[in-house]
Amino acid sequence: MVPMQNNLDVKFTNFIQNIFLLPDDVLEDVIMHFQHLEHPKNHILLQQGKTCKHLWFMTKGAARYFYTNEEGKEMNTWFSLDTQVIADTTSLVSQEPSEENIQFLEDSEMYSIEYSVLQSLLQKHHSFALWYIKLIEQHYVAQIEDRIADLQFLNATERYQKLLSLYPEITNRISLGNISSYLNITQETLSRIRAGKF
Amino acid sequence: MVPMQNNLDVKFTNFIQNIFLLPDDVLEDVIMHFQHLEHPKNHILLQQGKTCKHLWFMTKGAARYFYTNEEGKEMNTWFSLDTQVIADTTSLVSQEPSEENIQFLEDSEMYSIEYSVLQSLLQKHHSFALWYIKLIEQHYVAQIEDRIADLQFLNATERYQKLLSLYPEITNRISLGNISSYLNITQETLSRIRAGKF
DNA sequence: AACCTTTTTTGATGTATATCAAAAGAAAAA
DNA sequence: TTTTTCTTTTGATATACATCAAAAAAGGTT
């Protein structure tokens, strides 16, 4: 249960209200079902094989999504920086075991809501269901389709440049190994790209 | 406006009801806002640069999503076969111009609903909003995330085999050139994969 | 500062898949 | 059937990026 006085909470409510404006009473009912959390760097938020039981709204920090392949190599599938929704969507919506891990790359702050609570709020408030539709549309569909196009049509150098233009500060916050894995290239190749060797 | 007597319509209402069960009165209100359409092979349903103003439920047929790149080459991004939702989701939800075309690869049948009508039905019926959430979750998120994983982690041969296991009859319905473009490989490479040369 | 650990860079070589050119096969048209 | 057109296959070569090995640089720790 979240008291609504301090700055962080204002940031969070703005995040919620920017997705789709909720009536005051609904906003209040929704917000009070969120829990404020902090997790340190390296904390594993969701583990491969476990079902994703929460939806998180990160207000500060950085996280990676990754899975460990047959050879034991960790492959990053996604990054979230600062104000972002976090969840393994596939596992959350199906309530089946996740195929990936979610781990923080910085000390991070977030608000969480349980899947069952989310479902009952969707049943309870028509406006919250409309809000959730906007959330999915904006945060999953748009971003994800973009990523498909990148993987399908851009080469390694172009993928890196696009990531840089989207997150100019990413190289100060996330290691080259983690970035290269997300870009689907090796660390060596990314190093050469940065040195301008292609 | 759709009379609900014949077989095709039953197939369509089943499709709707399988996503999420709607109360009879809501189902009736929803169904009557759909229009039945047929389009011949090669018909362009949506053109690059035009905004996607409809959501379609294909009940029979085949379609491809593609865009034309700088060199004038057509690149397939998606296939839909038989009972499937069709739309350029990014364009539909943003109501901004589409970056891709949608074209039929066979004579096809479908039901369509206009974007603005869809929006007003979402406002009007809480249960229809819950239905739409399930639709997005099942038809966009799950499929799309799977495609990212395929592009990121499978090689050309594995991508082809996975497509075959999902649509065993695809080679009889869709040309090798169209399939290879979707798999993000050349026609020559796909031909060699099929001949077992890798 | 010196030491240890992690991250990044460099070099040599290998591999999956692309490109270009042309032949073979299948489908459609005359 | 013959001709034309479109689709698929084959061969030779090129290229983007991976892999393996090792050195260099950067961060942390005592």
Side-chain angles (χ1 to χ4, degrees):
Chain A
M1 307 304 142
V2 180
M4 286 291 99
Q5 294 84 341
N6 65 46
N7 278 332
L8 236 184
D9 295 334
V10 169
K11 199 172 167 189
F12 175 58
T13 52
N14 281 344
F15 186 10
I16 297 291
Q17 292 288 59
N18 276 337
I19 291 164
F20 179 86
L21 210 62
L22 292 169
D24 286 350
D25 60 324
V26 175
L27 179 65
E28 197 184 336
D29 190 26
V30 167
I31 291 275
M32 81 177 215
H33 287 92
F34 275 87
Q35 196 189 346
H36 182 246
L37 294 172
E38 300 189 9
H39 287 299
K41 181 172 174 170
N42 294 324
H43 175 81
I44 302 267
L45 186 63
L46 176 68
Q47 204 160 32
Q48 205 162 357
K50 302 262 173 95
T51 299
C52 186
K53 300 270 186 205
H54 294 85
L55 185 63
W56 296 276
F57 287 80
M58 182 164 68
T59 46
K60 191 183 164 198
R64 67 168 178 145
Y65 296 54
F66 71 100
Y67 90 101
T68 306
N69 70 9
E70 316 77 47
E71 294 118 49
K73 205 171 153 195
E74 293 181 356
M75 316 286 276
N76 289 167
T77 57
W78 200 263
F79 285 120
S80 294
L81 292 182
D82 301 320
T83 312
Q84 286 267 290
V85 180
I86 296 185
D88 177 348
T89 317
T90 303
S91 171
L92 185 75
V93 308
S94 67
Q95 286 296 290
E96 283 172 13
S98 161
E99 289 178 16
E100 59 190 359
N101 308 273
I102 302 176
Q103 180 184 37
F104 291 107
L105 297 172
E106 298 176 351
D107 296 347
S108 301
E109 296 181 15
M110 73 218 69
Y111 290 84
S112 81
I113 188 168
E114 239 191 276
Y115 177 77
S116 59
V117 174
L118 178 71
Q119 292 308 311
S120 62
L121 286 171
L122 289 173
Q123 298 286 338
K124 189 172 170 191
H125 303 293
H126 186 176
S127 63
F128 186 63
L130 297 173
W131 174 91
Y132 188 66
I133 288 169
K134 290 291 168 209
L135 174 76
I136 300 177
E137 288 179 348
Q138 291 169 24
H139 286 261
Y140 303 153
V141 179
Q143 290 182 23
I144 284 175
E145 294 209 334
D146 224 47
R147 177 133 173 85
I148 290 180
D150 292 354
L151 284 169
Q152 198 170 3
F153 302 123
L154 303 184
N155 66 26
T157 306
E158 291 166 335
R159 290 201 297 279
Y160 177 63
Q161 285 166 346
K162 187 161 173 192
L163 183 69
L164 264 192
S165 69
L166 204 59
Y167 300 113
E169 81 302 11
I170 200 167
T171 49
N172 307 324
R173 294 174 65 178
I174 292 179
S175 76
L176 182 139
N178 270 321
I179 293 174
S180 65
S181 167
Y182 171 76
L183 294 174
N184 210 20
I185 54 180
T186 60
Q187 195 163 312
E188 294 93 327
T189 297
L190 181 52
S191 175
R192 285 183 249 261
I193 286 169
R194 294 212 294 189
K197 293 188 180 160
F198 289 124
Chain B
M1 307 305 142
V2 180
M4 284 293 100
Q5 294 85 344
N6 66 45
N7 279 333
L8 235 184
D9 295 334
V10 169
K11 199 170 165 188
F12 175 57
T13 51
N14 281 345
F15 187 9
I16 298 290
Q17 292 288 61
N18 276 337
I19 291 164
F20 179 86
L21 210 63
L22 292 168
D24 286 352
D25 60 322
V26 176
L27 178 66
E28 198 185 335
D29 190 27
V30 167
I31 290 272
M32 79 177 218
H33 288 92
F34 276 87
Q35 196 189 346
H36 183 245
L37 294 172
E38 300 189 10
H39 286 299
K41 181 172 173 169
N42 295 325
H43 175 80
I44 301 266
L45 186 64
L46 175 68
Q47 204 159 33
Q48 205 162 357
K50 302 262 173 89
T51 298
C52 185
K53 300 269 187 205
H54 295 84
L55 183 64
W56 296 277
F57 287 79
M58 182 164 68
T59 46
K60 192 184 162 196
R64 67 168 179 145
Y65 295 54
F66 70 99
Y67 90 101
T68 306
N69 71 10
E70 317 76 48
E71 294 118 49
K73 204 171 153 194
E74 293 182 357
M75 316 286 277
N76 290 167
T77 57
W78 200 263
F79 286 120
S80 293
L81 293 181
D82 300 320
T83 314
Q84 286 268 286
V85 180
I86 296 185
D88 177 348
T89 316
T90 303
S91 172
L92 185 77
V93 307
S94 66
Q95 285 297 290
E96 285 173 11
S98 160
E99 289 178 15
E100 59 189 359
N101 308 273
I102 302 175
Q103 181 184 37
F104 290 107
L105 297 172
E106 298 175 352
D107 296 348
S108 300
E109 296 182 15
M110 73 219 70
Y111 290 83
S112 81
I113 188 168
E114 239 193 274
Y115 177 77
S116 59
V117 174
L118 179 70
Q119 292 307 312
S120 62
L121 286 171
L122 290 173
Q123 298 286 336
K124 190 171 168 193
H125 304 292
H126 186 177
S127 63
F128 186 63
L130 297 174
W131 174 91
Y132 189 65
I133 288 169
K134 290 291 168 207
L135 175 76
I136 301 176
E137 289 179 347
Q138 291 170 25
H139 286 261
Y140 303 153
V141 178
Q143 290 182 25
I144 285 175
E145 294 209 334
D146 223 46
R147 178 138 171 81
I148 292 179
D150 291 355
L151 284 169
Q152 199 169 2
F153 302 121
L154 303 184
N155 66 24
T157 306
E158 291 166 334
R159 291 201 296 279
Y160 176 63
Q161 285 166 345
K162 187 163 174 191
L163 183 69
L164 265 194
S165 68
L166 205 59
Y167 299 113
E169 82 301 12
I170 200 167
T171 49
N172 306 324
R173 295 174 65 178
I174 293 178
S175 76
L176 181 140
N178 270 320
I179 293 173
S180 65
S181 166
Y182 170 76
L183 294 174
N184 210 20
I185 54 180
T186 61
Q187 195 162 313
E188 294 92 328
T189 297
L190 181 52
S191 174
R192 286 184 249 260
I193 286 169
R194 294 214 292 192
K197 293 187 180 161
F198 290 125

